[in-house]
């Protein structure tokens, strides 16, 4: 019963480097989400995928790309990392077969520092 | 679009005292409301939710929240807190028909022995 698994848990990058954050869920959920959490800012939605094969921008998509690889996996890519992208990144998933309003299940986060 | 305001960024309270964490929302459509809890170095966990029906909802660990449509509020309460309740609490709203959540900025609850 792993739920939502994020890798890596920690990462340090230099400005301009690229990397991909991985997320996988084993709950057969349709929807998946990427958030960033910054002190005093709450969680802000970067991108989401309502179902396999679709992705949409959230509140703060600039500087990021996503791929919904299959129903289980949803990755977040930083093409050219910037110090402003230093944050804690959370992946989440939810079911919506029974309609909206379903709770989201979160991974433990990836702590990313960009120097 | 929806928005959420958590009125207190930090709330210190003595053990076994009652606590209320305040949450107000704005929306032009009907809403679903959630409270999540985040313990240090962990992800968010659902604490309780209001979708429809009874306006008072309860969690398994003694928290409750009441949906007040006229005041657009969804305050979280617990009559007697424990040290283990120390965490950050997030209020979130989803507009009817939407799968997205909008989160408040969080309230850090510190329980003092």
């Amino acid at each position: 019963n792993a739920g939502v698994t994020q890798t890596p848990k920690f990462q340090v990058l230099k400005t301009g480097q690229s990397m991909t954050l991985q997320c996988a869920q084993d709950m057969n959920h349709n929807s998946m989400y990427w958030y960033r959490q910054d002190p005093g800012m709450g969680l802000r939605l970067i991108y989401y995928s309502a179902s396999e094969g679709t992705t949409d921008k959230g509140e703060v998509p600039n500087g990021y790309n996503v791929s919904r690889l299959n129903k289980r996996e949803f990755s977040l890519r930083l093409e050219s990392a910037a110090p402003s992208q230093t944050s804690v990144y959370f992946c989440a998933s939810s079911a919506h077969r029974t309609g909206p309003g379903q709770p989201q299940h979160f991974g433990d986060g990836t702590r990313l520092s960009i120097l | 679009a929806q928005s959420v305001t958590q009125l207190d960024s930090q709330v210190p309270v003595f053990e076994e005292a009652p606590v209320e964490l305040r949450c107000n929302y704005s929306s032009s459509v009907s809403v679903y409301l959630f409270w999540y809890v985040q313990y240090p170095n962990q992800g968010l966990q659902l604490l309780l939710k209001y979708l429809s029906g009874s306006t008072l909802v309860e969690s398994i660990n003694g928290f409750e929240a009441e949906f007040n449509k006229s005041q657009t509020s969804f305050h979280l309460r617990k009559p007697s807190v424990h040290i283990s309740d120390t965490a950050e609490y997030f209020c979130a709203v989803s507009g009817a028909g939407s799968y997205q959540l909008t989160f408040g900025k969080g309230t850090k609850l510190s329980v003092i022995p």
Side-chain angles (χ1 to χ4, degrees):
Chain A
N1 57 343
V4 178
T5 302
Q6 292 183 236
T7 55
K9 295 188 185 305
F10 302 93
Q11 185 71 49
V12 179
L13 293 178
K14 294 181 179 179
T15 298
Q17 289 185 315
S18 62
M19 80 161 294
T20 300
L21 281 62
Q22 306 287 353
C23 175
Q25 52 91 8
D26 62 2
M27 296 171 283
N28 200 35
H29 284 170
N30 300 92
S31 301
M32 298 185 73
Y33 313 82
W34 276 106
Y35 294 90
R36 60 177 289 172
Q37 183 180 28
D38 303 291
M41 299 292 290
L43 275 78
R44 293 181 291 170
L45 182 65
I46 304 171
Y47 271 93
Y48 69 100
S49 171
S51 60
E52 186 179 357
T54 68
T55 60
D56 287 285
K57 295 178 180 179
E59 180 184 354
V60 289
N62 291 345
Y64 305 95
N65 286 299
V66 290
S67 295
R68 183 75 183 267
L69 303 170
N70 47 54
K71 192 171 186 180
R72 289 186 64 248
E73 299 173 286
F74 188 39
S75 62
L76 178 71
R77 183 163 177 83
L78 286 69
E79 290 290 352
S80 179
S84 61
Q85 295 177 304
T86 293
S87 187
V88 182
Y89 291 85
F90 287 100
C91 178
S93 69
S94 67
H96 63 72
R97 285 188 300 279
T98 54
Q102 298 304 307
Q104 294 183 10
H105 299 257
F106 285 79
D108 285 338
T110 295
R111 284 150 183 80
L112 181 61
S113 294
I114 299 163
L115 307 177
Chain B
Q2 293 79 42
S3 67
V4 177
T5 302
Q6 291 185 243
L7 297 161
D8 304 294
S9 60
Q10 298 188 55
V11 173
V13 62
F14 286 103
E15 192 175 15
E16 298 185 4
V19 69
E20 178 180 80
L21 307 183
R22 297 179 292 169
C23 172
N24 287 92
Y25 70 92
S26 66
S27 177
S28 58
V29 299
S30 58
V31 296
Y32 304 118
L33 293 157
F34 305 82
W35 275 101
Y36 285 82
V37 58
Q38 184 180 33
Y39 298 103
N41 298 315
Q42 294 186 25
L44 279 70
Q45 302 172 33
L46 179 70
L47 190 59
L48 47 76
K49 63 182 179 182
Y50 169 79
L51 302 183
S52 64
S54 173
T55 57
L56 184 66
V57 291
E58 298 177 350
S59 72
I60 58 173
N61 58 353
F63 283 94
E64 64 179 30
E66 186 162 18
F67 171 56
N68 187 320
K69 188 174 182 180
S70 63
Q71 308 237 346
T72 61
S73 68
F74 190 55
H75 300 333
L76 182 69
R77 302 184 183 94
K78 189 171 185 180
S80 176
V81 296
H82 302 284
I83 295 291
S84 58
D85 293 324
T86 294
E88 190 160 17
Y89 292 79
F90 291 92
C91 182
V93 62
S94 174
S98 170
Y99 301 103
Q100 297 183 52
L101 289 175
T102 299
F103 285 88
K105 294 184 177 181
T107 298
K108 291 184 178 178
L109 173 64
S110 299
V111 180
I112 305 163

